[in-house]
């Protein structure tokens, strides 16, 4: 499979993630974001485990739970805290710092090269997202800001470590492990913070099925596969497609209006993604030792 196909398959993930806002607001009960995260991650992970029929070895369990926390439990928890305490545009703009964080984390953890073109791509993508979603009524809440930045850092660290810790299993199996671990970690948090989830309706179930099977199982399989094949600095710029997709779906499905500034923002985001691919040459994402780690690492 050629590089272009890998890029296109990876880009599908954030495009689908952009639908999460509409599904959450139109199809799910309000006020239970962490419960929804749990119901999104754990059933999807368990279904994938039934498909792959493989559990992580003793030497991988700690790493899998760290990745499950970074990519799902902590990331989703911080994402929803930010969403509740900040206007959506502010939360999305702060979250868009993630590609810039990946550049520096990948330099430290993987030895990747940081280029000016890569920094330009990350900053221009951040500006493009701000043009898309940042309105004049934006207000700042310190806890919300901290949560948004911690969420971006969590996902950035998870993206880099997903590349660094590559077990000798298929991307589907690796996805199953991480989703299940992330869901397990969310259970005690949900029981303490959000008890009393209402009996779901048919519409609620349909929304959860979409978020779980498509928005989690399929998309994170494509995302983790892309990280393994292309490297974190190549795929991270695609994250800008998520808020772009959300805005465009709101325009198409909910009839929301697009301003000239938002249209310009879409163009800037697409340019930033193109610049990101130019900056992330295959050699910049090469790990000195790309052989998968042993099934039971000693460290």
């Amino acid at each position: 499979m050629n590089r272009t196909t890998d890029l296109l398959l990876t880009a599908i993930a954030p495009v689908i993630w952009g639908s999460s806002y509409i599904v959450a607001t139109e199809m799910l009960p309000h006020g239970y974001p962490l419960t929804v995260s749990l119901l999104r991650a754990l059933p999807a992970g368990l279904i994938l485990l039934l498909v792959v029929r493989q559990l992580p070895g003793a030497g991988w369990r700690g790493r899998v739970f760290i990745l499950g926390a970074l990519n799902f439990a902590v990331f989703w928890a911080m994402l929803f805290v930010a969403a509740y305490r900040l206007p959506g545009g502010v939360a999305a703009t702060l979250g868009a710092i993630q590609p810039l964080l990946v550049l520096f984390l990948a330099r430290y953890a993987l030895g990747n090269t940081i280029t000016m073109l890569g920094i330009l791509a990350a900053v221009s993508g951040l500006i493009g997202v701000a043009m898309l979603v940042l309105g004049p009524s934006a207000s700042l809440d310190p806890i919300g800001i901290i949560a948004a930045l911690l969420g971006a850092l969590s996902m950035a660290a998870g993206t880099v470590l997903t590349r660094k810790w590559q077990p000798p299993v298929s991307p589907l199996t690796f996805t199953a492990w991480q989703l299940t671990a992330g869901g397990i970690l969310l259970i005690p948090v949900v029981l303490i913070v959000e008890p009393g989830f209402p009996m779901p309706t048919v519409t609620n179930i349909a929304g959860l099925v979409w978020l779980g099977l498509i928005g989690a199982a399929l998309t994170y399989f494509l995302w983790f596969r892309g990280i393994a094949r292309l490297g974190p600095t190549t795929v991270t710029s695609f994250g800008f497609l998520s808020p772009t997709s959300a805005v465009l779906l709101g325009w198409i499905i909910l009839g929301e209006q697009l301003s000239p500034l938002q249209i310009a923002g879409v163009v800037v985001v697409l340019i930033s993604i193109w610049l990101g691919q130019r900056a992330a040459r295959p050699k910049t994402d090469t790990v000195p030792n790309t052989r998968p780690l042993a099934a039971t690492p000693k460290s």
Side-chain angles (χ1 to χ4, degrees):
M1 191 172 293
N2 61 38
R3 180 177 174 83
T4 300
T5 302
D6 289 335
L7 291 170
L8 292 175
L9 288 174
T10 305
I12 290 173
V15 170
I16 293 176
W17 291 338
S19 69
S20 299
Y21 174 77
I22 291 179
V23 173
T25 55
E26 302 295 322
M27 301 180 69
L28 299 178
H30 293 234
Y32 298 92
L34 296 176
T35 305
V36 169
S37 298
L38 168 62
L39 295 176
R40 181 183 182 185
L42 189 56
L46 293 175
I47 289 172
L48 290 183
L49 280 180
L50 289 175
V51 173
V52 301
R53 296 180 180 275
Q54 184 176 0
L55 295 174
W60 274 100
R61 289 169 194 160
R63 295 186 179 194
V64 166
F65 272 95
I66 290 173
L67 292 173
L70 292 173
N71 285 319
F72 300 107
V74 174
F75 172 60
W76 283 348
M78 292 299 99
L79 188 70
F80 283 118
V81 169
Y84 271 116
R85 301 188 70 99
L86 295 171
V90 175
T93 302
L94 291 171
I97 197 175
Q98 179 195 324
L100 196 59
L101 295 175
V102 167
L103 287 179
F104 290 97
L105 290 175
R107 175 71 182 91
Y108 173 77
L110 304 176
N112 290 3
T113 302
I114 298 176
T115 65
M116 288 305 299
L117 186 59
I119 294 176
L120 175 62
V123 173
S124 61
L126 178 61
I127 293 171
V129 170
M131 294 168 66
L132 272 170
V133 300
L134 201 58
S137 61
S139 59
L140 302 180
D141 174 87
I143 296 177
I145 291 173
I146 292 172
L149 294 176
L150 285 177
L153 179 60
S154 178
M155 185 62 174
T159 297
V160 173
L161 289 178
T162 294
R163 170 67 182 211
K164 185 176 180 64
W165 295 338
Q166 283 291 306
V169 297
S170 69
L172 189 65
T173 301
F174 202 20
T175 303
W177 292 354
Q178 292 193 52
L179 277 170
T180 304
I184 291 172
L185 291 172
L186 282 168
I187 291 175
V189 180
V190 168
L191 292 176
I192 295 171
V193 178
E194 293 179 353
F197 187 75
M199 180 65 68
T201 65
V202 173
T203 300
N204 297 157
I205 293 173
L208 289 171
V209 168
W210 172 264
L211 288 179
L213 295 184
I214 306 300
L218 174 62
T219 57
Y220 277 97
F221 160 69
L222 294 174
W223 188 252
F224 293 150
R225 176 188 176 279
I227 292 172
R229 296 177 69 94
L230 301 168
T233 58
T234 299
V235 305
T236 190
S237 62
F238 286 133
F240 295 130
L241 290 174
S242 182
T244 305
S245 171
V247 169
L248 293 177
L249 287 173
W251 171 56
I252 295 169
I253 298 175
L254 302 180
E256 297 174 349
Q257 298 298 313
L258 284 180
S259 68
L261 182 63
Q262 287 178 304
I263 295 172
V266 172
V267 175
V268 172
V269 165
L270 295 177
I271 292 173
S272 75
I273 293 172
W274 178 75
L275 289 174
Q277 302 312 308
R278 297 266 300 178
R281 304 289 184 184
K283 64 180 181 179
T284 66
D285 283 330
T286 300
V287 184
N289 179 12
T290 55
R291 179 178 58 83
L293 297 173
T296 55
K298 297 180 180 180
S299 59

